[in-house]
Amino acid sequence: MIRDCATLPLMSRADTHSPTFTAHRKHFLSDRVEHFTESVIREMTRQAMLHNAVNLAQGFPDFPAPPEIKQAAQQAIAQDINQYAITWGAKSLRNAISRQMKSWQGIEVDPEKEVTVCCGSTEAMISTLLAVCNPGDEVVIFEPFYENYGPDSILSGAKPRFVKLRPPKEENGTWTFDEKELRQAFEKHTKAIVLNTPNNPTGKVFTREELELIRDLCVEFDVLAITDEIYEHILYDGTEHIAMAALDGMRERTVTINGMSKTYSVTGWRVGWAVAAEKITNAIRKVHDFLTVGAPAPLQEAGAAALSLPAQYYVQLAERYRVRRDHLIPALTAAGFRCFRPQGAYYVMTDISAFGFEDDVAFARHLVEKIGVACVPGSSFYRHPRDGAKQVRFAFCKKPETLDEAARRLAKLRLTS
Ligand SMILES: Cc1ncc(COP(=O)(O)O)c(C=O)c1O
């Protein structure tokens, strides 16, 4: 969670004898880490373990990964693919990424010059921001936002500039943004917009019209689009994923970020990637090299196998998540939550006004300690905690029996609160 979103305190060198400077030196801490806390999402997983709660907080599947890709990983280790891969990614995986982007999005990608494989899309995002941002640059981010983007922009020296996504009035409606507010966020210091579609935490899938509007602003203000498309295959109700890089005029000004975690249920493998034009890729590769050297070599080989699974795999993936969504939402509704029905990704944002708690954090604490279900407080997705004080998020990337158990426990909620 972000503590204070002003640009980093750019303390002038002349201030080095001030009491503040001495205090900072004494604690051996950089100023930049003062501006955000540890991840609330990951903290909720620790709370779930502590209280033996059903973990619907963090977005990791509790069911097995596909057997084919586990075999491919085992085989790669047995074949002694156990040393550093090429820094920017094993050739087999880069080729597979390029093939996939062509077949799914119609985007031609040169695997030699335009792909950087990283330790998860998490590293791809921070490497990209470090590669493109200077102090004083601004990065536009829709909020509620995936928790990492705030700290990522602060760590890269940029100032996040938030634009609100507003919840739908009806259960089946979609989150929307105000065109004027978005336009106002773009100005001469804007370096990039970070976009996540399908979106965590709202489940929004940006439409072609919305993406074209963002595209037009990017072109007008000469801004880069950094698009996190990690949930691209998890779509419901006939919605379509549109890749920003596929829109006219965006190929050269988009960094597409993706990874294995969500599509192949292997969040612990830490394999992701950034796809961008050669010049931007060169900069991302430099940062990536000195941050991590490379992603796990045998798991990259397994990644190449995963990206070669037949189209049916993706159809099944989305359908299984639809079933889980339609399993959890009625249980939440019956327990007293107002649910915002997701069109993509595997989270449900909910409104908790009916429970009368002081705020989302008090509610989440009650839920994990007394009911035995972990969720994520809504405030961790907003710049100002008050904006998320009436919301919590649930993840449904869980076995049916896990969701059953959560439903059983949630049914006690009305009686205890
Ligand atoms: C939008 C979004 N991006 C990135 C990540 C992290 O992805 P990875 O495991 O590839 O680092 C998550 C995980 O929850 C996410 O929701």
Side-chain angles (χ1 to χ4, degrees), residues 11 82 85 98 122 142 151 295 395:
M11 204 185 301
N82 294 314
S98 163
T122 299
F142 285 104

Side-chain angles (χ1 to χ4, degrees), residues 120-122 146 149 196 200 228 230-231 261-262 267 270 347:
S121 62
T122 299
Y146 173 56
Y149 302 153
N196 171 218
N200 171 14
D228 180 342
I230 190 154
Y231 298 103
S261 285
K262 313 293 175 172
T267 59
R270 315 309 304 132
Y347 307 97

Side-chain angles (χ1 to χ4, degrees), residues 19 35 37 42 52 73 78 80 98 105 130 133 138 140 147 151 174 190 230 291 294 309 318 374:
H35 288 267
T37 66
R42 270 86 76 187
N52 204 14
D80 249 324
S98 163
Q105 316 295 350
L130 286 167
C133 289
E138 292 192 0
V140 177
E147 212 188 3
T174 63
T190 312
I230 190 154
L291 275 183
L309 287 172

Side-chain angles (χ1 to χ4, degrees), residues 29-86:
L29 300 179
S30 80
D31 292 329
R32 67 179 76 84
V33 299
E34 298 294 314
H35 288 267
F36 52 90
T37 66
E38 276 184 41
S39 158
V40 178
I41 299 177
R42 270 86 76 187
E43 170 57 19
M44 287 312 296
T45 285
R46 292 190 285 272
Q47 290 293 317
M49 289 161 86
L50 191 68
H51 297 285
N52 204 14
V54 179
N55 187 356
L56 302 190
Q58 201 175 352
F60 62 82
D62 68 348
F63 45 83
E68 305 91 306
I69 73 166
K70 291 194 288 194
Q71 276 156 19
Q74 285 158 2
Q75 215 170 22
I77 291 174
Q79 286 170 352
D80 249 324
I81 303 180
N82 294 314
Q83 310 307 327
Y84 301 124
I86 295 170

Side-chain angles (χ1 to χ4, degrees), residues 181-356:
E181 195 187 327
L182 180 65
R183 167 166 277 279
Q184 277 163 8
F186 279 71
E187 39 129 309
K188 72 173 194 306
H189 298 294
T190 312
K191 175 58 71 73
I193 178 167
V194 172
L195 188 76
N196 171 218
T197 183
N199 184 261
N200 171 14
T202 64
K204 176 180 175 63
V205 179
F206 283 74
T207 63
R208 182 174 294 279
E209 292 69 36
E210 288 170 331
L211 293 171
E212 284 177 353
L213 181 86
I214 296 167
R215 184 265 319 267
D216 293 347
L217 288 169
C218 286
V219 171
E220 184 181 335
F221 289 86
D222 196 19
V223 162
L224 196 65
I226 306 174
T227 64
D228 180 342
E229 303 184 13
I230 190 154
Y231 298 103
E232 71 169 319
H233 294 291
I234 305 177
L235 297 163
Y236 314 114
D237 310 329
T239 46
E240 187 194 359
H241 171 68
I242 294 156
M244 186 57 113
L247 296 190
D248 278 351
M250 288 309 285
R251 178 67 180 83
E252 297 300 308
R253 60 170 70 248
T254 302
V255 180
T256 306
I257 288 178
N258 212 324
M260 293 186 68
S261 285
K262 313 293 175 172
T263 305
Y264 305 106
S265 309
V266 286
T267 59
W269 281 19
R270 315 309 304 132
V271 179
W273 50 87
V275 176
E278 182 176 358
K279 209 166 128 199
I280 302 171
T281 292
N282 287 342
I284 296 171
R285 286 180 175 184
K286 279 199 275 185
V287 176
H288 159 70
D289 190 1
F290 289 105
L291 275 183
T292 65
V293 178
L299 304 183
Q300 292 192 51
E301 296 304 331
L307 269 68
S308 309
L309 287 172
Q312 186 55 21
Y313 171 80
Y314 303 92
V315 175
Q316 254 178 24
L317 179 82
E319 174 55 14
R320 287 181 183 159
Y321 277 126
R322 186 201 58 75
V323 170
R324 292 179 174 110
R325 177 195 67 170
D326 295 348
H327 189 159
L328 184 62
I329 287 182
L332 289 170
T333 308
F337 294 87
R338 187 157 93 78
C339 294
F340 303 115
R341 194 181 185 76
Q343 305 163 307
Y346 50 48
Y347 307 97
V348 193
M349 267 297 244
T350 65
D351 184 301
I352 55 167
S353 305
F355 300 107

